[in-house]
Each structure stands twice: as C-alpha cells, then as structure tokens.
Amino acid sequence: MLGAGILKGLAETARNFLGSYVSKDRLTTVQFPEERAPRIEASRNFPFLVYDGTDPQEGLRCVSCFICEKECPPKCIFIEKSTDKKPDATGKPQFYPARFNIDVSVCMSCQICVEVCPFDAIKMDNAFELSATDRFDALLWNKQQLAKSNNYYHEIHPTEAAAVDAELAAARAKTAAAAAASAAAAAAKKLAAPPIPPTPPTNGDDIL
Amino acid sequence: MIVPDTVDQIFVLSKHWLLGYVPTALQPIVSAILSVAPVLVVFPLLFAITTVLERKGLGRIQNRYGPNRVGPYGFSQPIADGIKSLTKEDIVPRSADQVVHLLAPLLLVMAAFLAYAVLPIGRNMVLTNLNAGVLFFFAVGSMVELAVFMAGWSSRSKYSLLGAMRAVAQMISYEVPLVLASIVVIMASGSLSTVAIVNLQASYTSIWPHWFIFTPWGFTGFVLFMIAATAESNRSPFDLPEGESEIIAGYYIEYSGFKFALFFLGEYLGMFATSGLAITLFLGGWAAPFSFLTWIPSYIWFFAKLLALICVFIWIRGTLPRLRMDQLMGLAWKFMLPMTLLNIFTAGVWHFMPSGFTRWLVCTSLLIVPCLLLSRGLKQRKKLQIRTYRFAE
C-alpha cells in the first residue's frame, strides 16, 4: 500500500517529538555554559607547568633543560635559564627557568614537549575557554600563567598523575638513600680516618 | 447570542465605525487600507511565529531542544533573526541583472500577499468576494513561478539557474493536480467564490458539520491537495529547488541580507495561503467543527485550523527525506494526475447517486481500488537491488 511507510515514519517522528518532552534521556544536548559534560581523561590541548607544594614558582619541577624548547615543532616555547640553583622535585640542586613562555597561538597541541620532558615538569592541560581580545600578548603565556599545581594535574589526568607521582617518590627515595649513604660514608671516614676514598655521589641518574 | 455575535464581528464593526469618521469621497480607499493593513501585519507575524515553531518542532523531532536562548523558551528568536537579516550586507553579484535581481523577491512576496485577497478569514471577513475567487487564487499563485525564475535567471549562477529550472518544472507539474484536486469542491458547491464555498459548509446536521472533507471525494481531494500544496510551496520532501545539500540554496543562492529573508517570507506566506485555501475548500473555512462550538469567533477557528495545518507541514518536513527529480515527476504525473481525474469522476457519481450507504461504498471503492492498483504499479516497476559498478571497482 502506497503511503504505509510514510505513516510509519510519521509515527516515529511523533514518538520522538512527544518522547522528548516526557523523558530527559532522549535529549542528549548539554546546555553548555550552565551544564558541562565531564571531560574525557585523555583530552588535551595546551601544555602547562606542574608545581609541587604550595608556591607556584618555587615548586616548579622544570629545571630549564631546554629539551622541550628544542623539540617543539612550531617553536612556540621560549626559556631563559636562571643563574643560581635550587632543589628540584627530587631534592637535587638544579637550575630553574627565569622565564618560560609558551605562545598558544602558535602551539599545535602535539604533546611532544610532554613526551620529551625527563622531569615530568610539563603536562597537557584541557582548559578550553581561552578566548582573548588580543591575539599577541594575551595568548603569550608566561611562567605565572603556565604554573598549575600537582593537585590540578591529578584532577584532570588522575591515572597519569598517579604514575608520575609514584615515579617521583621512588626517585626522591633514591636521592635520600644516596644522601644518607654518603652521609654515613662521610661519618665512617671521619671515624676510621684515611683508608677509603670518598664515594662519588650517585648522582640520582635514574632521572636522567 | 448578542455578545458572541459582536465579538465575532468586532473587526468588521470597528472598521465600519472608523469609516464613519472619514469623508465619503475617501471612504473606498480608506476601507481598502483598513482591510489590507491587518493582513499585512498578521500574516508576517504568523510567519515569525512559524519559524520559531518550526525550528523547535524539528528540534524535538530530532531529540534536540531547538532555539531556547532568546526570550522565554526561545520565542523571541524571530526578533533576533530579523535584526540579523536587516543588518547584514546586501550583496549583489557584479554580473547579475541588477533590476530583475531586485524585483524577484518583491514579486514573490507581492504574489503571496495577493492570494490573501480571496481568503475568508472569518465571517464577513474577506478582502474581496470575487465570484471567481478560486480562479484568482491560482492565477496569482502561478506568479510565484515567475518570481522564482526571475531570481534564478538574474543571479547568473549555475546553481541558481539549476534551482530555478527545477522549481519551474516542479511547480508547473504540481499546479495541475493542485487545480484538479480543488475542482471537486467547485463541482459540489457550484461556485468559484470562496465565500460561497465556506457558507455552504457552515451548516450542521445535528452537531456534525457539512465539511467537504467528510466525503470520500473530499477526503481524497484534501490529501491530494495537501501533497500538491507541499510541492507548490517548495517544502520538504519536495524541496528540490532549494536542495541545500546539492545545489546549496537553489534559486536564492545569490541573495543575502533582507532579500534572502524576503524569499523566506514569500515562501511561508505562500504556504499559509495554500493552507488557507485548503481550509476554505475542504475544512469548512472559518466554520466551527461542531454546532455547539459556534460561540467561538470565526477568525479564531480559521487561525486554529491554519496552525494545525502548519504543524502538519512541519511534521512532514521532519519526517520525509527529499525526493529525487524523477520520483517527484513520477508522483505528479503517474499517481497524482490519474487520482485527481478519478476523484472528479467520483464526485460526479456521488452527486447523482441517492444518499445512503451504497453511495459511500461505491464512491470509496471507486477511489481505494485504483489507488491500490496505481501504487502496486508504481512499486513493481522499480527493482531495488545493490548497484553494481562496471568501471569504478
């Protein structure tokens, strides 16, 4: 019979129309500014710098090794090394970035900086509401804007952050053990005067 | 029933009251302006309401919200749309025929508005009671084709020309069943005047009205008329002239800003006008559906029926995919045309048979059997199978 399919289709659309008023499950639209869908853990867009503890600048894990700057394909990272040293995340004295800039208008979100970073200092963010009225200065982020806490990192990428924390804890324990060993050795040397030459510090080379 | 009668005739009475203050020499022109102005206000307003209803309805059909940001529940969306289309740049292609390009949307809207001249919106509420009203309606309606082709031709773009050619082919093809489907009503009422046709339907047997849709030929005529009206107003599933996925926007691709909005306005006004004619011919015009509901003013009934038909149009648009050109023409010439001709024959049989059950049986079978045969014939011809490619694979 001609038109039977049309009637079936009309019934289906009518069911959709009425059903959308009855059951909220049918409406998959998220009313964006008011409602937000939970972010997917693997989602990423631009890099940020992780800091430990409470002080965003003192706690930065970055040791300004320039690897990310060199590897960045669009060359959007600019780093200036400090002249003095401070203890890094594993407790060893290291340089720190005096300036760390990322031009997000140039960044292509490739995550290569994250992959090459040996200190787990740079990670991918998923904040996406980044509109600015100026496309030059407002999108050139400095160290202050880039620094985000480890807790924030745990919030957006929990699995990854837990793995990084475990790794860092192991490294910190190793450094502490090495420091303790060298201290013990020094004490032993002090006690039984000359014989053993001082062991060179074990450099914490698990990190590098 | 003095009060309801006053309410029913309030617009007519207030017009006469206003005319009393006008010098006799000016009365004809002031009377015309007073009649035309409400039409020029009410139907564009209805267009605004329809756009938001359509967007929300289509949204719900597709399990979306539709516009819900501007104003309460998104119902101020047409205002935002209007401001947008007014403030947009009006771009005219350099190689376009400037004059015709400008005239096309104006002609379309004018043609659409002219059709309202013969639509009885309520009791005693018709702009002109022409004794050839239905004929006038179709004559004016065919101006739309001219406007569409003017738009497509003057734009000097291959897409707009393709769209215009499709539109003209489609509208001329569907004008035939549109007119033939309405002939049954003219046969039954013996008049081309829309007012006379409505007056004939505005009487009741006990509580039931004498609408033409409640006869076998009336129902068939109404369905055929609505199909043809959908095609005439270029609406989905017959929106090949626009075909935004194939020829982008068809004949109005080169239009922007307010001219583009005028095309939309003209199209919707055309849809309202044909719906209004369908109401006038088959659904009893401004007449109430039951005798005990006659206390509700006639114009409210007209607009209620109009809104109902608009909702049907939206529902159909949300349901059916676009037809192919050959399917469109096949439906017009192989199905609609024979059915309308048969319908005219059936209306004649109905007229000459004594009323009773036999008449119903004969006339219904006269329509259903050919419909089934025709649809079987249409179906058997096409073999649906997986297409095989000789060279592409």
Side-chain angles (χ1 to χ4, degrees):
Chain A
M1 172 77 190
L2 189 73
I6 293 174
L7 292 180
K8 219 185 274 175
L10 285 173
E12 182 63 37
T13 45
R15 204 177 302 130
N16 274 349
F17 180 82
L18 298 172
S20 70
Y21 284 102
V22 178
S23 75
K24 281 277 167 207
D25 311 340
R26 279 177 174 271
L27 296 162
T28 50
T29 313
V30 179
Q31 298 283 304
F32 168 62
E34 296 91 25
E35 293 171 27
R36 275 150 196 275
R39 301 305 308 275
I40 301 159
E41 202 188 323
S43 70
R44 62 188 167 92
N45 50 8
F46 296 117
F48 71 98
L49 296 175
V50 189
Y51 69 83
D52 294 306
T54 46
D55 186 355
Q57 298 312 313
E58 284 300 306
L60 277 183
R61 289 179 188 170
C62 179
V63 300
S64 64
C65 66
F66 294 101
I67 296 177
C68 54
E69 193 196 69
K70 282 175 189 138
E71 290 291 329
C72 179
K75 300 274 172 252
C76 70
I77 301 178
F78 173 76
I79 305 172
E80 236 177 56
K81 199 155 88 174
S82 64
T83 46
D84 55 332
K85 290 190 176 185
K86 69 171 178 63
D88 73 344
T90 57
K92 290 197 319 144
Q94 292 273 25
F95 292 108
Y96 60 93
R99 269 177 77 186
F100 196 112
N101 288 350
I102 294 181
D103 191 344
V104 282
S105 65
V106 176
C107 177
M108 63 184 206
S109 309
C110 64
Q111 208 183 354
I112 287 177
C113 52
V114 176
E115 277 160 24
V116 297
C117 183
F119 300 95
D120 289 311
I122 191 164
K123 293 292 172 194
M124 293 308 270
D125 201 350
N126 63 8
F128 56 92
E129 288 149 287
L130 309 172
S131 61
T133 49
D134 173 20
R135 73 192 165 99
F136 300 108
D137 287 342
L139 292 177
L140 182 66
W141 291 350
N142 59 25
K143 204 167 67 154
Q144 279 74 26
Q145 286 163 292
L146 286 167
K148 284 180 182 169
S149 72
N150 195 27
N151 292 340
Y152 175 75
Y153 182 37
H154 271 279
E155 238 168 67
I156 58 172
H157 302 301
T159 327
E160 219 180 280
V164 168
D165 267 12
E167 222 172 273
L168 279 176
R172 221 171 284 133
K174 210 167 179 182
T175 321
S182 61
K189 201 175 87 179
K190 225 178 192 180
L191 267 176
I196 317 144
T199 46
T202 45
N203 262 345
D205 50 6
D206 50 294
I207 308 168
L208 265 169
Chain B
M1 298 286 270
I2 297 300
V3 175
D5 231 33
T6 326
V7 174
D8 190 21
Q9 297 298 307
I10 183 124
F11 297 114
V12 181
L13 292 175
S14 50
K15 183 186 147 187
H16 283 296
W17 173 74
L18 276 174
L19 274 183
Y21 293 97
V22 174
T24 328
L26 288 175
Q27 264 184 8
I29 184 118
V30 173
S31 161
I33 289 169
L34 283 178
S35 305
V36 169
V39 169
L40 292 182
V41 172
V42 167
F43 283 95
L45 264 180
L46 189 64
F47 160 66
I49 294 166
T50 306
T51 53
V52 69
L53 276 185
E54 176 152 34
R55 290 172 68 180
K56 287 186 87 71
L58 287 180
R60 289 288 172 167
I61 280 171
Q62 295 156 6
N63 286 328
R64 299 184 281 109
Y65 284 103
N68 62 354
R69 293 279 151 166
V70 192
Y73 294 98
F75 272 98
S76 306
Q77 187 69 36
I79 299 170
D81 287 345
I83 293 170
K84 187 195 86 170
S85 62
L86 273 172
T87 50
K88 266 190 158 181
E89 187 186 357
D90 176 29
I91 302 166
V92 182
R94 194 185 295 161
S95 60
D97 189 327
Q98 309 287 329
V99 180
V100 184
H101 193 266
L102 170 70
L103 283 180
L106 298 179
L107 183 70
L108 185 76
V109 173
M110 204 185 72
F113 269 126
L114 271 180
Y116 291 96
V118 291
L119 282 186
I121 292 163
R123 184 183 286 123
N124 303 327
M125 284 165 74
V126 63
L127 294 192
T128 49
N129 181 11
L130 292 181
N131 55 8
V134 181
L135 193 65
F136 173 82
F137 186 95
F138 289 124
V140 167
S142 60
M143 266 164 73
V144 172
E145 272 121 275
L146 180 65
V148 162
F149 200 73
M150 275 164 70
W153 184 259
S154 67
S155 298
R156 270 219 199 171
S157 148
K158 53 183 171 294
Y159 294 114
S160 57
L161 188 59
L162 267 175
M165 286 171 76
R166 282 184 180 191
V168 169
Q170 169 182 328
M171 287 165 123
I172 290 176
S173 299
Y174 276 89
E175 204 125 280
V176 178
L178 186 77
V179 176
L180 287 179
S182 50
I183 278 183
V184 284
V185 173
I186 297 159
M187 283 166 68
S189 57
S191 169
L192 274 165
S193 158
T194 47
V195 177
I197 289 169
V198 174
N199 283 337
L200 203 72
Q201 297 178 79
S203 54
Y204 301 88
T205 318
S206 76
I207 61 161
W208 304 104
H210 292 168
W211 297 0
F212 288 130
I213 195 176
F214 298 126
T215 54
W217 51 267
F219 181 75
T220 319
F222 175 69
V223 173
L224 292 168
F225 187 93
M226 286 308 282
I227 295 173
T230 319
E232 273 293 293
S233 49
N234 289 334
R235 282 184 63 85
S236 175
F238 304 107
D239 57 348
L240 285 101
E242 293 171 43
E244 41 303 76
S245 54
E246 332 153 11
I247 49 173
I248 307 142
Y251 51 86
Y252 50 76
I253 181 173
E254 299 293 355
Y255 284 89
S256 58
F258 203 66
K259 285 186 198 160
F260 186 79
L262 276 183
F263 268 105
F264 260 97
L265 177 68
E267 219 158 76
Y268 276 86
L269 285 178
M271 184 184 100
F272 301 155
T274 30
S275 303
L277 190 69
I279 291 165
T280 306
L281 294 180
F282 298 101
L283 297 177
W286 42 259
F290 299 106
S291 60
F292 54 83
L293 287 176
T294 42
W295 56 272
I296 296 175
S298 54
Y299 44 86
I300 288 185
W301 280 118
F302 180 84
F303 281 103
K305 289 172 190 178
L306 190 57
L307 270 176
L309 279 191
I310 288 168
C311 289
V312 171
F313 271 122
I314 294 171
W315 188 9
I316 285 174
R317 180 176 169 185
T319 305
L320 300 178
R322 188 180 303 137
L323 265 68
R324 218 168 47 212
M325 197 71 199
D326 62 318
Q327 294 168 333
L328 178 93
M329 288 297 168
L331 184 69
W333 297 106
K334 292 180 196 160
F335 182 77
M336 301 276 287
L337 186 65
M339 279 311 291
T340 44
L341 291 174
L342 258 169
N343 200 29
I344 291 170
F345 176 70
T346 314
V349 171
W350 177 274
H351 184 69
F352 287 111
M353 274 181 83
S355 59
F357 180 70
T358 342
R359 184 165 78 159
W360 268 92
L361 192 72
V362 169
C363 288
T364 314
S365 52
L366 257 178
L367 289 167
I368 286 183
V369 172
C371 177
L372 285 174
L373 289 174
L374 272 175
S375 59
R376 273 193 65 198
L378 280 177
K379 237 182 215 166
Q380 273 173 356
R381 205 86 66 67
K382 59 174 124 114
K383 282 185 193 141
L384 292 173
Q385 58 191 20
I386 296 169
R387 190 166 166 185
T388 50
Y389 295 93
R390 283 181 60 199
F391 301 110
E393 280 173 351

